[in-house]
Amino acid sequence: MRNRVKIFDGGMILVFLAVAALFLFEVDVFRHEADLSPRERELELDELMILTSLVMLGVLFYTWRRAREHRRENALRIEAEKEVMSLALQDPLTGLPNRRQFDEALKAALTAAPVAPEAHALFMLDLNDFKKINDVHGHPTGDQALIHVGSRLLRAVRDNDLVARLGGDEFAILARNVAGAEGAANIARRVVDGLATPIMTGALAHSVGVGIGIALSPHDGDDPAELLRRADVALYRAKAEKRSAIRFFEPEMDARLRERAELERALADGLDADDFFLRFQPTTEIGGGIAGFEALPRWRHAARGELEPERFLPIAEEIGLLSRLTERLLRDACREAAAWPAPTRLAFNLPGALLADQAFGSRVIGALDESGLPPDRFDLEIDEGALIRDAESAMAMLTPLRAAGVSLVAARFGTGYSDLKNLHKLKLDRIKIDRSYVAAMTSDRQAAVMVKALIGIGRGLDLSVIADGVGTEEQLAYLASHGCQQAQGAAFGAPVSAEQAAALVRAAAQAEPAREGSRRTPSPLRC
């Protein structure tokens, strides 16, 4: 385009000069050509001056046009550079600084160390359940929610603090020269409070919680990359709360995270090497003998010894091995229990994350069929919280299992999620009172009242009641006096191997005739 303009301007000037020159020669030189002497035939000085002036005017016009075009091009280039710089350093959705600008600001801040007791605070933020907004209402609604979040974060921080969107629903805050951990905590609490009110997008209200991880410089380091990593470690701990939470970085967190990474790398190999096995926790009838066993997963780790499920099941879920691991342990448990004499029962805890896997219900039935264990001797335990949070998925999976004869148990009953309406719809057979209430009831009157109430709820719904975590005869006596039917815990021995479980069942079967002859309140069964 620029070259075409130059050619056009140059052509116009040449045409103009040619016409002017022709006019001069035609009027002053060629009109009486026959009468002029050779000297007179030369171009007169005035004609030369006029022609030169015209040439200069043409050149001046051309130069002016080129200068104006150059200024316009410079202005457009400067504007484009500003836009490119803005795009490079600014989040286009929220208008907040982006990761690049945040990284540069963090590097600059860490070059000027604060004077104690002040510190530079780095906050890493991640929204809770934001994916649901996108999944249910669409990305445009999610984008509007993110814009509102950005505005609320700006209102929560100080004027000179930097708020950035790093991507997705992840934000960061850089607060220079805060009053140590207390000053950082005050900012974090204002952020949590600012996001406590539901966000409105049109007529929709969205509850958005936030996990916040905090690292302080120089206490937690003065290297930008390391400080970011440590704030991320703290954020990881905050996100584990499943609600709005604030966590400062602690060295122990780093050690646990490194351990988790190690376990994650080793888990798949352990599954292939068959390093996972089962322990069996006895469940006894209060006033009777062994009613059954709960299968408890264990991992025989080469370096860390025997690991309990709390250490490895969440990792298996994250790396996509939970279903495979659970199915293998379920089949092993059913195979062991099939050799026990009736009516000894097997209880198996189904991780709540598998409720969404509708195909897993058929695998449960397949494991029972393969082992020969009758479904009416099998209890499938699911945490009460998972049953209530995903009631529709639970209903879809568990209804065919119940129709097949499997008993359904709400484990950790009373942990704050109770919804009797949904629990009734699920048609449960048993409830298991959470061990935290049982452990506290002899020293905490409110816990004792809660246990009594939970037993009453179970009996009112015509459900069998199991108490978990029974450790003393005093607890056992209290449970018996209020109508609890079954119990398990340390009072009845530690979890045992499959061989020991089989031996206990045989011993209980042999002792049954003697027990029938003299019924009395049992002393705890030692395993």
Side-chain angles (χ1 to χ4, degrees):
M1 178 65 183
R2 182 172 60 187
N3 290 333
R4 287 201 300 269
V5 171
K6 290 180 179 179
I7 293 171
F8 176 79
D9 288 350
M12 290 295 295
I13 292 171
L14 289 175
V15 170
F16 175 75
L17 291 175
V19 171
L22 180 63
F23 175 78
L24 291 173
F25 277 101
E26 179 65 24
V27 171
D28 293 332
V29 178
F30 301 111
R31 185 174 53 181
H32 304 294
E33 182 180 359
D35 300 330
L36 295 177
S37 64
R39 182 176 180 82
E40 289 174 335
R41 291 177 183 177
E42 295 179 357
L43 186 65
E44 297 179 0
L45 180 62
D46 60 340
E47 295 171 338
L48 179 62
M49 291 297 293
I50 292 173
L51 186 60
T52 302
S53 298
L54 291 175
V55 171
M56 294 300 293
L57 286 173
V59 172
L60 182 63
F61 172 76
Y62 183 82
T63 303
W64 173 77
R65 289 271 292 179
R66 297 285 68 72
R68 189 178 69 168
E69 182 184 345
H70 183 67
R71 285 197 303 271
R72 184 186 299 114
E73 288 178 354
N74 276 345
L76 292 174
R77 185 175 67 253
I78 291 171
E79 191 66 28
E81 288 174 352
K82 289 181 179 178
E83 185 176 356
V84 169
M85 186 61 67
S86 175
L87 292 174
L89 299 177
Q90 191 177 54
D91 174 51
L93 177 64
T94 62
L96 297 173
N98 62 8
R99 181 181 290 274
R100 179 177 176 182
Q101 184 176 349
F102 186 82
D103 289 344
E104 292 177 356
L106 179 60
K107 290 177 183 177
L110 295 183
T111 59
V115 178
E118 291 186 344
H120 296 327
L122 172 60
F123 304 77
M124 299 295 290
L125 296 80
D126 195 84
L127 303 181
N128 295 335
D129 296 327
F130 178 76
K131 184 175 181 297
K132 290 183 180 179
I133 298 179
N134 282 334
D135 291 346
V136 175
H137 303 291
H139 287 276
T141 300
D143 289 347
Q144 289 298 314
L146 289 173
I147 294 171
H148 284 291
V149 169
S151 299
R152 294 192 185 188
L153 292 179
L154 288 173
R155 292 196 295 269
V157 302
R158 304 172 304 173
D159 290 341
N160 60 338
D161 293 338
L162 179 67
V163 179
R165 179 181 176 227
L166 305 185
D169 61 343
E170 186 179 1
F171 294 81
I173 299 172
L174 175 61
R176 295 177 180 233
N177 301 105
V178 299
E182 184 61 31
N186 288 337
I187 295 174
R189 282 193 288 266
R190 290 200 300 270
V191 169
V192 172
D193 292 342
L195 294 176
T197 304
I199 291 173
M200 301 299 300
T201 57
L204 300 173
H206 311 283
S207 295
V208 178
V210 62
I212 304 177
I214 307 173
L216 301 176
S217 177
H219 180 269
D220 296 322
D222 55 9
D223 177 71
E226 183 63 13
L227 200 65
L228 280 167
R229 189 190 70 80
R230 293 185 172 188
D232 264 329
V233 170
L235 174 62
Y236 179 83
R237 293 286 295 172
K239 292 292 289 182
E241 300 288 332
K242 305 295 185 182
R243 56 182 175 81
S244 291
I246 303 166
R247 290 290 178 270
F248 284 86
F249 172 78
E250 299 172 1
E252 294 79 7
M253 291 180 180
D254 206 14
R256 285 194 292 268
L257 193 63
R258 293 181 187 278
E259 174 189 316
R260 183 184 179 89
E262 176 200 332
L263 294 179
E264 183 176 318
R265 291 190 296 269
L267 194 144
D269 293 337
L271 187 55
D272 292 336
D274 205 21
D275 288 336
F276 293 89
F277 65 101
L278 294 166
R279 297 285 186 190
F280 293 88
Q281 174 71 55
T283 301
T284 68
E285 296 282 354
I286 296 181
I290 293 178
F293 294 87
E294 179 185 358
L296 304 176
R298 295 289 188 267
W299 181 7
R300 191 181 294 104
H301 191 276
R304 301 184 181 275
E306 187 174 309
L307 302 181
E308 297 193 349
E310 294 78 10
R311 299 280 297 278
F312 59 84
L313 288 183
I315 301 175
E317 179 183 352
E318 287 189 9
I319 63 177
L321 292 177
L322 182 61
S323 178
R324 177 184 166 195
L325 174 59
T326 303
E327 182 178 1
R328 175 177 295 184
L329 293 170
L330 172 64
R331 292 182 181 279
D332 291 345
C334 290
R335 185 171 58 252
E336 295 293 343
W340 301 339
T344 309
R345 308 183 64 83
L346 169 68
F348 189 90
N349 192 287
L350 180 71
L354 293 181
L355 284 175
D357 183 0
Q358 299 300 317
F360 201 85
S362 61
R363 296 176 200 163
V364 173
I365 295 176
L368 293 171
D369 290 342
E370 179 185 294
S371 66
L373 178 67
D376 60 4
R377 287 174 48 202
F378 181 72
D379 295 338
L380 190 65
E381 297 187 357
I382 308 104
D383 279 5
E384 178 196 8
L387 288 171
I388 300 307
R389 283 193 301 269
D390 201 0
E392 292 185 5
S393 295
M395 189 79 71
M397 176 194 273
L398 300 179
T399 297
L401 289 173
R402 197 177 194 288
V406 171
S407 294
L408 305 180
V409 182
R412 299 190 65 214
F413 192 74
T415 49
Y417 301 95
S418 299
D419 184 333
L420 298 183
K421 180 179 179 181
N422 281 329
L423 290 175
H424 180 68
K425 284 183 179 179
L426 290 169
K427 299 186 182 302
L428 299 172
D429 297 279
R430 307 168 191 270
I431 59 173
K432 179 184 281 189
I433 300 173
D434 187 64
R435 61 175 50 242
S436 62
Y437 291 112
V438 176
M441 68 184 185
T442 53
S443 58
D444 185 343
R445 183 178 178 278
Q446 289 186 341
V449 171
M450 179 63 75
V451 169
K452 179 181 177 181
L454 294 175
I455 294 172
I457 290 173
R459 294 176 67 85
L461 294 175
D462 198 25
L463 305 175
S464 297
V465 181
I466 310 168
D468 192 14
V470 179
T472 67
E473 293 191 19
E474 183 181 2
Q475 293 169 346
L476 185 61
Y478 182 88
L479 293 167
S481 67
H482 289 91
C484 183
Q485 292 101 334
Q486 296 181 350
Q488 64 177 204
F492 309 100
V496 297
S497 66
E499 295 78 9
Q500 291 171 316
L504 285 171
V505 171
R506 289 193 297 269
Q510 295 171 0
E512 186 62 28
R515 187 180 298 113
E516 290 292 336
S518 57
R519 287 287 184 184
R520 60 183 178 84
T521 302
S523 59
L525 176 63
R526 303 293 177 181
C527 300

